C-alpha cells in the first residue's frame, strides 16, 4: 500500500509507512545523513498531509521494522492493548492530534497510553507545532515512586550528576554537596562511572548509599554502569537502588548496547527482589537519544525520531522510575543546531509522556554543535512549561567527565522559580528540615557537616 498527496501541482507518492514517516519529519541532519529525509520542503509538506490522513488502525497492520526480525516490534504489537485503543481507533493521525489538543484530559490520556504505539505518537508529533507538543504534553500526568514521589503536578525534579574523570570519591562527594545545597537530587543522585567494572561500581554504590543514609535523604542513588555489571554488583550484595541501561528502538540497536529484552527482564527482577524502595517499586532508569540507531547502522531505513519513540516501548515494559532523552549528546551529525535540538527534545518528551513514561530530558549539546547555552535556556523553559518530569543538574552545566554541556544546579533553580515548580514533596520537606529550602550559596548554614568523612 502506498500513500500520496499533491502540493503545488506536484503529486508525491510514498511507497510505505516507513518512508512516509521519514519524509514527514521536520528536517534534521541525521535523517539527511541516512538518506531518508524529504528532498524539499514541498515533499515534506505533502508527506505531512498524507500522514495526517492515515488511520491509526493502519499502524497495527504495517510494521516499520519487520516483525519476524525484531523483538521490539513483537513487543509493540503483541503487547498492544486493544481495549485502551478503542476510544480513538476510528481516528486518523490528524484526528488524534485534534482530539489531543481539544478534548483530551489527564485521566483520558493515562487510560489511552497502553493503546498507543510508538509509531502512532511519532506520527502525531510530526504534524505538531512546538506549541502543540508543549500543550499536549502538559496534560499528561505520569507518577512514579521509589523513596520519593516523582512527577506530581507542579513539581520539577533534578538528577544530581556528580561525574568525576577518575571516579575520585572526594570529587564525586564535593559535587553531591554542591547539588544538595542547591536543591538538586530528588530525581536521583546518579554517577556516570569513568571505569565500568564491578569493583569500581561497588565502591561508588557504597559511597552514594552511605551519604544518602547518613543524611536520611529521601531519594535514590544510581551508578550508570552497564546492566550486566550492575547484575554482578547485585550478586555481590551491593546497595543497588536503580538499574540503569541505555536502550534503543530496534533489537539490533539494543544488541549494539550489549542488551536484549531478556537481559533487561533479568535485571528488573533482580532489582525488585532487593525491595529497597520505601514508597514504590519503580526500579529501572533508562536513557535514550535520537541518532543512536543510525550511529550503529541499526535503523532499518527509518527516521531517527520514529526509532527513538520505539525505544519508549522497551522502557515502558519495565515500569521505570526515570526515562531520560539525552537529546543533544550524540552530536551535530544527528541534530545539527539549537533549533533541531529544541524540536527533538520537545518531540521526545511528548512521545514518552503519551506512552505513559516519566520523561526527563537532558537539555544538552556537544561543543562542536551549532548551539549554545541560550538555546538550552529556551528548551529548558519550554520543557518546564510542558511538564517535564526532571532535568539534569551538573556543576556549572559543564560535565568534565563526559565532555558535554548540560544544565546546572542554578538552571534547575531558575526553572523552578520562574515556573512555580517545587521538588518532589518528600525531598522538599527534607530540604526544609535541613535548613536549605529557599537558600542561596551565600546563605548556607555554617553547621552543615562534611559529606565525606
Amino acid at each position: 500500500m502506498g500513500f500520496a498527496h499533491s502540493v503545488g501541482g506536484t503529486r508525491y507518492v510514498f511507497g510505505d509507512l516507513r518512508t512516509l514517516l521519514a519524509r514527514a519529519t521536520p528536517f534534521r541532519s541525521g535523517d539527511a545523513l541516512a538518506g531518508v529525509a524529504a528532498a524539499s520542503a514541498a515533499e515534506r509538506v505533502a508527506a505531512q498531509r498524507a500522514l495526517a490522513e492515515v488511520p491509526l488502525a493502519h499502524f497495527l497492520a504495517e510494521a516499520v521494522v519487520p516483525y519476524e526480525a525484531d523483538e521490539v516490534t513483537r513487543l509493540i504489537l503483541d503487547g498492544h492493548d486493544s481495549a485502551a485503543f478503542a476510544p480513538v481507533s476510528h481516528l486518523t493521525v490528524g484526528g488524534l492530534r485534534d482530539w489531543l489538543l481539544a478534548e483530551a484530559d489527564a485521566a483520558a490520556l493515562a487510560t489511552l497510553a497502553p493503546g498507543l504505539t510508538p509509531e502512532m505518537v511519532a506520527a502525531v508529533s510530526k504534524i505538531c507545532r512546538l506549541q502543540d507538543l508543549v500543550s499536549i504534553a502538559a496534560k499528561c500526568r505520569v507518577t512514579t515512586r521509589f523513596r520519593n514521589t516523582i512527577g506530581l503536578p507542579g513539581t520539577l525534579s533534578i538528577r544530581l550528576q556528580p561525574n568525576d574523570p577518575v571516579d575520585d570519591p572526594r570529587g564525586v562527594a564535593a559535587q553531591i554537596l554542591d547539588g544538595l545545597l542547591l536543591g538538586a537530587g530528588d530525581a536521583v543522585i546518579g554517577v556516570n562511572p569513568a571505569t565500568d567494572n564491578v569493583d569500581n561500581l561497588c565502591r561508588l554504590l557504597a559511597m552514594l548509599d552511605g551519604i544518602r543514609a547518613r543524611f536520611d535523604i529521601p531519594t535514590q542513588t544510581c551508578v550508570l554502569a552497564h546492566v550486566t555489571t550492575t547484575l554482578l554488583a547485585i550478586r555481590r550484595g551491593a546497595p543497588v537502588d536503580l538499574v540503569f541501561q541505555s536502550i534503543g528502538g530496534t533489537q539490533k540497536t539494543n544488541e549494539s548496547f550489549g542488551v536484549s529484552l531478556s537481559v533487561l527482564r533479568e535485571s528488573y527482577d533482580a532489582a525488585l527482589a532487593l525491595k529497597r524502595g520505601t514508597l514504590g517499586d519503580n526500579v529501572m532508569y533508562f536513557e535514550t537519544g535520537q541518532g543512536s540507531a543510525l550511529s550503529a547502522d541499526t535503523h532499518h531505513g527509518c527516521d531517527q525520531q520514529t526509532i527513538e519513540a520505539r525505544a519508549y516501548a522497551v522502557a515502558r515494559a519495565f515500569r521505570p522510575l526515570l526515562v531520560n532523552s539525552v537529546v543533544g549528546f550524540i552530536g551535530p551529525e544527528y541534530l545539527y543546531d539549537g533549533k533541531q535540538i529544541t524540536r527533538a527534545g520537545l518531540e521526545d518528551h511528548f512521545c514518552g509522556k503519551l506512552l505513559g513514561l516519566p520523561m526527563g530530558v537532558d537539555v544538552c549539546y556537544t561543543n562542536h554543535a551549532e548551539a549554545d547555552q541560550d538555546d538550552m535556556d529556551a528548551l529548558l523553559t519550554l520543557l518546564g512549561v510542558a511538564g517535564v518530569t526532571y532535568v539534569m543538574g551538573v556543576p556549572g552545566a559543564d560535565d568534565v567527565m563526559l565532555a558535554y554541556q548540560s544544565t546546572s544546579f542554578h538552571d534547575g533553580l531558575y526553572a523552578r522559580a520562574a515556573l512555580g515548580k517545587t521538588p518532589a514533596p518528600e525531598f522538599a520537606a527534607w530540604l526544609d528540615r535541613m535548613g536549605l529550602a529557599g537558600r542561596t550559596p551565600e546563605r548556607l548554614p555554617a553547621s552543615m557537616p562534611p559529606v565525606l568523612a
Side-chain angles (χ1 to χ4, degrees), residues 215-233:
F215 296 105
D216 194 24
I217 308 171
T219 190
Q220 35 284 328
T221 64
C222 184
V223 178
L224 283 67
H226 191 272
V227 63
T228 55
T229 312
T230 304
L231 273 170
L232 292 174

Side-chain angles (χ1 to χ4, degrees), residues 375-394:
D375 296 312
M376 300 306 103
D377 286 348
L379 177 54
L380 173 63
T381 304
L382 287 167
L383 285 165
V385 176
V388 70
T389 300
Y390 71 105
V391 295
M392 302 300 110
V394 178

Side-chain angles (χ1 to χ4, degrees), residues 165-423:
V166 294
D167 294 333
D168 182 348
R170 291 188 175 273
V172 172
Q175 295 178 72
I176 292 174
L177 176 60
D178 189 19
L180 291 173
L181 295 177
L182 292 169
D186 54 332
V188 63
I189 301 174
V191 178
N192 295 86
T195 303
D196 192 331
N197 65 62
V198 67
D199 291 332
N200 188 54
L201 173 58
C202 289
R203 179 172 61 91
L204 287 171
L205 285 168
M207 173 196 160
L208 295 180
D209 193 58
I211 293 172
R212 180 199 61 78
R214 177 177 180 180
F215 296 105
D216 194 24
I217 308 171
T219 190
Q220 35 284 328
T221 64
C222 184
V223 178
L224 283 67
H226 191 272
V227 63
T228 55
T229 312
T230 304
L231 273 170
L232 292 174
I234 290 175
R235 290 167 187 157
R236 286 193 184 185
V240 173
D241 287 346
L242 305 182
V243 173
F244 167 82
Q245 184 55 46
S246 295
I247 56 173
T250 72
Q251 178 178 331
K252 289 187 178 297
T253 306
N254 287 321
E255 288 172 355
S256 76
F257 289 137
V259 298
S260 64
L261 295 181
S262 62
V263 169
L264 294 176
R265 176 63 60 182
E266 181 183 1
S267 65
Y268 174 66
D269 290 341
L272 281 178
L274 297 176
K275 300 184 185 300
R276 289 178 58 83
T278 55
L279 294 184
D281 62 355
N282 299 116
V283 296
M284 301 299 283
Y285 175 11
F286 295 116
E287 285 190 351
T288 67
Q290 288 193 30
S292 59
L294 175 57
S295 69
D297 194 24
T298 58
H299 59 296
H300 293 269
C302 296
D303 68 273
Q304 62 188 34
Q305 191 255 335
T306 296
I307 294 295
E308 168 72 5
R310 284 169 53 93
Y312 305 152
V314 176
R316 73 175 174 180
F318 299 99
R319 302 174 51 248
L321 181 78
L322 306 166
V323 180
N324 177 34
S325 166
V326 193
V327 67
F329 183 73
I330 301 181
E333 300 85 354
Y334 306 95
L335 295 170
Y336 179 73
D337 57 15
K339 182 180 179 67
Q340 292 184 19
I341 292 170
T342 296
R343 171 86 199 185
L346 292 172
E347 288 170 347
D348 294 351
H349 178 252
F350 168 95
C351 290
K353 281 290 185 66
L354 281 181
L355 292 171
L357 290 174
M359 283 302 296
V361 177
D362 190 343
V363 179
C364 64
Y365 63 101
T366 58
N367 290 319
H368 62 311
E370 290 296 321
D372 59 27
Q373 216 63 36
D374 284 342
D375 296 312
M376 300 306 103
D377 286 348
L379 177 54
L380 173 63
T381 304
L382 287 167
L383 285 165
V385 176
V388 70
T389 300
Y390 71 105
V391 295
M392 302 300 110
V394 178
D398 184 3
D399 192 303
V400 296
M401 194 276 281
L402 293 175
Y404 80 117
Q405 307 302 309
S406 184
T407 47
S408 71
F409 304 135
H410 296 82
D411 293 332
L413 290 179
Y414 146 74
R416 284 173 175 165
L419 301 172
K421 305 278 188 177
T422 64

